[in-house]
Amino acid sequence: MVKSSVLGYPRIGAQREWKKALEAFWSGKLEEADFQNQLREIRLNHLQKQKDKGIDLIAVNDFSYYDQMLDTAAMFGIVPKRFTYENGKVPLSTYYGIARGTKGATASEMTKWFNTNYHYIVPELNGITPTVTENKPLIAYKEAKEQLGIEGKPVIIGPLTFLKLSKGYKEEEFDNWLDQLLPLYAQILQELNDEGVQWVQVDEPILVTKLSVHDIEQLKKIYNYFSTAVPNLNIMLQTYFESVEHYEEIIQLPVQGIGLDFVHGYAGNIKSLKDYGFPKDKVLGAGIVDGRGIWKASLHEKLELVKELHDWASKDRLFLQTSCSLLHVPVTLSSETELSPVLKGALAFADEKLDELVLLTKGTVEGPETIQGELTACDNAIRALELSIERKRDDVRQNVAEISAVDPERKLPFTQRHFIQQEKWQLPLLPTTTIGSFPQSAEVRKARRLWRKGEWNNAQYEHFIEEQIDTWIQLQEDIGLDVLVHGEFERTDMVEFFGEKLGGFAFTQYGWVQSYGSRCVKPPIIYGDIQFEEPMTVRETKYAQSKTSRPVKGMLTGPITIMNWSFVREDITREQIAYQLAYALRQEVEALELSGIGMIQVDEPAVREGLPLKEEDQAAYLDWAVKAFRMTTCTVQDATQIHTHMCYCEFHDMIDSIKSMDADVISIETSRSHGELIYSFEDHTYELGIGLGVYDIHSPRVPQVEEMTSMIDRALRVLKPELFWINPDCGLKTRGTEETLKSLRNMVEATEAARAKYALSVK
C-alpha cells in the first residue's frame, strides 16, 4: 500500500511560538521548566496536526531546540573544549553557549545548510572522544507514541553527512572518526529497534554532492555495519535537494528504503532510474511535493509522475513524500487574509503540502476519479495566476532584454578608480565602517507597528526615523568611524523592505521561516515581472548625509540576494528574475548618485548559497550572478565607490567570480572562521578593497581589543594594508545598543593600534 511520508515539519509555530519561547528563556524571563513545557506543547501540537491530516509516516526528532546538527553533536557529547562540560546530557546552558557564545567563549561557526537559507552550527571534533549522552530519536519516538498514539518515524542525520559537514579534523583522520562514531550510531539504532520502531529516516543529503571514491567506500562501510549490527531495523536512507551521485552504488546498499528528490533532483534521479532501475526489495521514498517552494503542486502532473515511478516501484513499495523537510517553508496559509485571491489560490505552505500528500496518496491508491474536484480546482488556481496581468509586463521584459544583451562594465578599471576615490575621500589607512544596520530597539519596532496600523501618520513616522538617524550619526562620529551609515531603522528586513517598494512582489502576514536559531525571516513572494516604481532609499540616506561631513553609504540589497531570499516564480528562469531585479536596482543606484551619495553598498550575502550543488551547473550560475551585480552598479561615475557585503563562504571556490563583481570594496563575514578564510588569500591574490569582519555580530558578547587586533594582523599577512577596511562581520540590527557601542569602540581602538603598526609599511 502506498503511504504518505513527511521528512520534517517547521519547528517555529504558526505565530512563531518557538522563537518567542527561546528568546524569553535566553533573556531570563522564562524558567527552564516552563521553557521545556512550552516547547513540548509546541512539538506535540505539530505532531497532532500531521496525524489529524492523515499522514501515514510522521517524522519525530525533527524538532530542535536550535539546530539539528547541533543536536547530533550534543547527542554524541561533541562539545568544544572552551565550553564547560564534563559528561552526561549536555545542559541547555552549554548547548546554547555553543550556538550563541558566552562571555568567556566564542560561538561555534555557523554556515548554510547546502544551498538553502537555513544555517547550521558546525560541529567541532578536535580533541574530543564521542559518547552517547542521550538517545534523542528514542525520546522523541516514545513521546509521540505515549502522548498521541503516533507510530513515529525517528529522524537522524547520517554519519557521512555529519562528518563531512563537521570541522576540526584532518582528512586523514576521517576514518578514525568514523570508527568512533559507528558504534554510537549503532547503539542509537539498536535501542530504537528494541523499542519496536518500524522505520528510521537516516538523512544523508551529502549524497547529492560530489563524493570521492573513498567517500563511497566509507558509505558502504557505514551501512554494512548497520546491517550487521541492527539487522531487523528498516532504514530509509534519505537524500534531498538534488539528484544523488553514485546512484548505482547507493541502490546496492543494505538498507530497506531509499528516498530521492523528484522535485529539485527530478531529471538526474529519473535518468538514474531509467539507466539502472530500482531494487525490487527496497521501498522508494519518492519526494514529489516540494519541501522548499511555496507554489501549489499540479496534482495532475504529480499523479502522472507517480504512474511513471510505478515502472520501478510497486504500490506496496512506494512512499509519497515531501522532497525535503518542510522546515524551509511557512507553516500555514490559513492565517493569510490580505493576499489576493488569485495569488493565494496558487500557494501551498507546510500545512497545505500535507493536504497535497494525502490527496496524492488517495488518488494513487483509489484512483484519480476519487479526487476529481480537487484536481479541477488545482488546475484552475494555477492557470489563473499564469494569466494574470502582473506576469505580462512587456515594457519590463523588453528593457531587461536590451540591457542584458550588453556586457556591463565600469568606465575605468579598479586601479584607476581607486586613485580617483582616494583623492576624493581622503580616508585614513585602514578605514573603519559598519555593514549597514544598527540595533532595532523595542522602541523602533513599536514605532513601526504604530505606523503600519495607521495610528501614526507618515509625518510622525518619518520624524521618528530622523531622530534615530540623528542619534546614530552622532554616535558614529563620537566612536570615530570613518564611513557612516544611516542605520536602516525604517527597514524590517533587507529583502522585504525593497520588495514592498517594487512591482511584482507580494507579502504574507505570517509567512515566517527559520534562518538560524530564533532568527526568522518572512521571504517576499516574487510572482510577477519586477518593476521599479520610485526611489526607495534616497530620502533617509540623503538626510543622514546632511547631518555629517563624513561619507554616508547608501545601502541596497543586491539582485541575487533578493532573489535567493525570496520565494520566486517558476514560470521563468532564475537568471531572468535576477536581471529584472538588477534593472530595477540600477535605477535606485542612479537615484542615490544623483542625490549626492558617493558611496553605495549593494549587499550580496546570499550569492554563495544559490550556488548549484552540481559542479557542472556552478560556472553558469556564477556568470549570470556576477553579470546581474554588474548590471546593477556599472553606470556610476568613477569617483562613486561601490561596496558590497557577502556572508562567509568557501572563498577559494569562487574567488575569481568575486573579483569579477568589480566592487571597489567587499566586506566578508568571517569572524567565526577567520583563519580558514585567510588561507584562501595565501594562494589567491586579491587586489581590490576588502574588509574581513573582525568580530562576530551573531553573539551577544563584546569582543576584546586584543581579539580584533589579532584578526587584523592575520589578515594583513596576506592582504595589502592600503586596500584593507575594518568592520564588524555583518549588520548590527539584532544586537543591543550598549554591546554595539562597546564593540565598535573596541574595534576603533584596535584599528588605531593597527594604523600605528602598519603606517610605515605603506609609505
Side-chain angles (χ1 to χ4, degrees), residues 70 80 82-83 97-101 105-111 120-124 167 672 696:
L70 177 58
R82 61 187 177 278
F83 295 96
I98 298 169
R100 306 177 69 234
T106 57
S108 286
E109 180 186 330
M110 178 172 62
T111 196
Y120 72 94
I121 299 297
V122 181
E124 300 176 35
K167 62 183 290 187
R672 292 196 183 188
D696 177 21

Side-chain angles (χ1 to χ4, degrees), residues 22 127 157 164 168 322 328 358 427 460 493 509 600 607 630 672 698:
L22 260 64
I157 293 174
K164 296 287 284 186
T322 52
H328 308 287
V358 172
L427 294 173
Q460 286 174 292
D493 175 86
Q509 295 163 273
I600 301 172
V607 169
R630 291 171 63 149
R672 292 196 183 188
H698 300 96

Side-chain angles (χ1 to χ4, degrees), residues 10-24 35 38-39 42 46 49 63 329-332 335 445 448-449 492-493 496 508-515 517-523 733:
R11 59 186 66 123
I12 63 174
Q15 302 295 323
R16 292 181 295 162
E17 298 90 346
W18 180 86
K19 165 191 173 69
K20 295 168 186 175
L22 260 64
E23 292 179 353
F35 172 63
Q38 284 193 22
L39 263 60
I42 294 168
H46 293 172
K49 181 188 291 186
F63 188 90
V329 296
V331 176
T332 179
S335 303
R445 295 193 297 272
R448 188 180 300 119
R449 285 195 302 270
T492 52
D493 175 86
E496 182 181 56
T508 61
Q509 295 163 273
Y510 304 101
W512 300 96
V513 293
Q514 184 187 5
S515 178
S518 68
R519 168 70 168 157
C520 298
V521 294
K522 189 150 59 72
K733 173 183 173 181

